[in-house]
Amino acid sequence: VYYSRKNGPEVWPVNNELPVGGDKLGPVTGMYSTQNVCIVFKARKTFLIVDDGVNEPQAKPLDGTIGCLAPNSIQEVPGVGIMFLSESGIGILIGTLQDTGTPTVILDAAVGLPDIFRTLNKSALLNACSAVYRKDKEFWLALPMLGAPNNRLVLVYHYPIREWTTRLEYPISCMVETPDGQGQLLFGSWDNTDHEGIFVYTRAAPDKDGVAIEPIYQTNQVSIASAFRTFKPMHVMPHAVGHGNNPLTVSMYSNHSLTPWTTPPTSVLQQYPAEIWPVYGTATFDSTDTWVDWRPITTRVDVSSTFNQPVLECAVRMEPAAGTRYMTLMALDIEVQTSDPIQTKPLRPDGAS
């Protein structure tokens, strides 16, 4: 690593060079400046270049053999750390700021993605690229897979909740978040046959390559373990904004199962039976249709059934009926029947149980 004179970036003294590891650790694959250090990545090692302003800079290696394989995968994710693609997964470098009491370590953010990493094209990982999409609080990482040299799989890290989702067949060769106030996510395509040019990511498109995109809302797994070990869901009450006679289907999943136990899903209208207004998207201005203000309505869906397995956690999934696209949820209530209460005993004043 070569560096210029202090306060003179155009002057390069002969001796201003810094050895960083050996050849067995691979070449330098990327550098990133953050807080008070410069991070130097090699293929199988990570170094921190520190400068106290008095002595010459020093390259300090981090413990372990984790490095970076793709320079365009390095991003600083708000509230998380420096994320990058490594040989073993996705690394998170935290604690680079001195005198904060936080140790500088590299964590693995891809612990729950072993199956996905087995499908990657390891010989083409240099083509991987990433971006931080702050509007949706997401870290995007585009990766090549199944022997193809181009990126076809996108891993999306939702950093407020520390969860991953996947998106397939995005022909991303490079991407960037615009620095203006809009903060749009742009990406350039490698597909110069069917998807040539630069694209803007949006969630408002009605279809993707001719396949209709249907809105879906699914909650996280909900439990009441602080008071009861198990429970039985009885009713789901979505508070939705009426969109004409647009049915809303409701299904429930329990204990992290991928199969709903409310089969088939229950369908209800997002409106009161006495208010049969024109369907959203079909009312015509200056015609005989009646225009009304949208307002939240509450519908109750009965989901109780004979179910022997104790419910520890449950998730609710809602989506418009097939062929419709409109759904606006304001709130969601779940009515349950509790069982097996957790007995707690207060501690004695002396601390004994």
Side-chain angles (χ1 to χ4, degrees), residues 60-201:
K60 296 184 177 181
L62 293 178
D63 292 337
T65 58
I66 299 177
C68 177
L69 294 182
N72 292 328
S73 69
I74 306 170
Q75 296 290 340
E76 186 163 8
V77 181
V80 178
I82 311 297
M83 299 188 69
F84 56 92
L85 180 64
S86 68
E87 283 185 332
S88 58
I90 301 172
I92 302 179
L93 176 59
I94 63 173
T96 57
L97 187 63
Q98 296 177 358
D99 302 326
T100 61
T102 302
T104 302
V105 295
I106 298 179
L107 306 177
D108 186 7
V111 174
L113 305 174
D115 294 337
I116 291 178
F117 271 80
R118 280 194 286 267
T119 66
L120 299 183
N121 183 359
K122 299 296 181 63
S123 63
L125 290 182
L126 185 63
N127 297 330
C129 60
S130 67
V132 176
Y133 186 39
R134 290 171 177 80
K135 183 179 295 185
D136 285 353
K137 296 181 173 57
E138 297 172 345
F139 166 70
W140 284 47
L141 178 61
L143 299 167
M145 59 183 300
L146 299 177
N150 299 312
N151 298 323
R152 294 181 178 271
L153 170 68
V154 177
L155 297 179
V156 180
Y157 186 63
H158 308 269
Y159 52 84
I161 60 175
R162 303 296 200 268
E163 292 289 344
W164 289 96
T165 58
T166 59
R167 298 170 191 178
L168 295 173
E169 301 303 331
Y170 278 66
I172 299 177
S173 62
C174 59
M175 54 180 156
V176 65
E177 182 190 45
T178 59
D180 55 11
Q182 294 182 346
Q184 294 179 320
L185 183 65
L186 308 181
F187 67 86
S189 171
W190 52 258
D191 186 356
N192 57 7
T193 302
D194 299 322
H195 305 89
E196 185 177 6
I198 298 176
F199 292 81
V200 181
Y201 171 70

Side-chain angles (χ1 to χ4, degrees), residues 224-225 228-232 310-312 337-342:
I224 52 176
F228 298 90
R229 291 185 176 88
T230 62
F231 60 93
K232 179 180 180 181
V311 178
L312 305 177
Q337 178 181 341
T338 59
S339 60
D340 196 10
I342 297 177

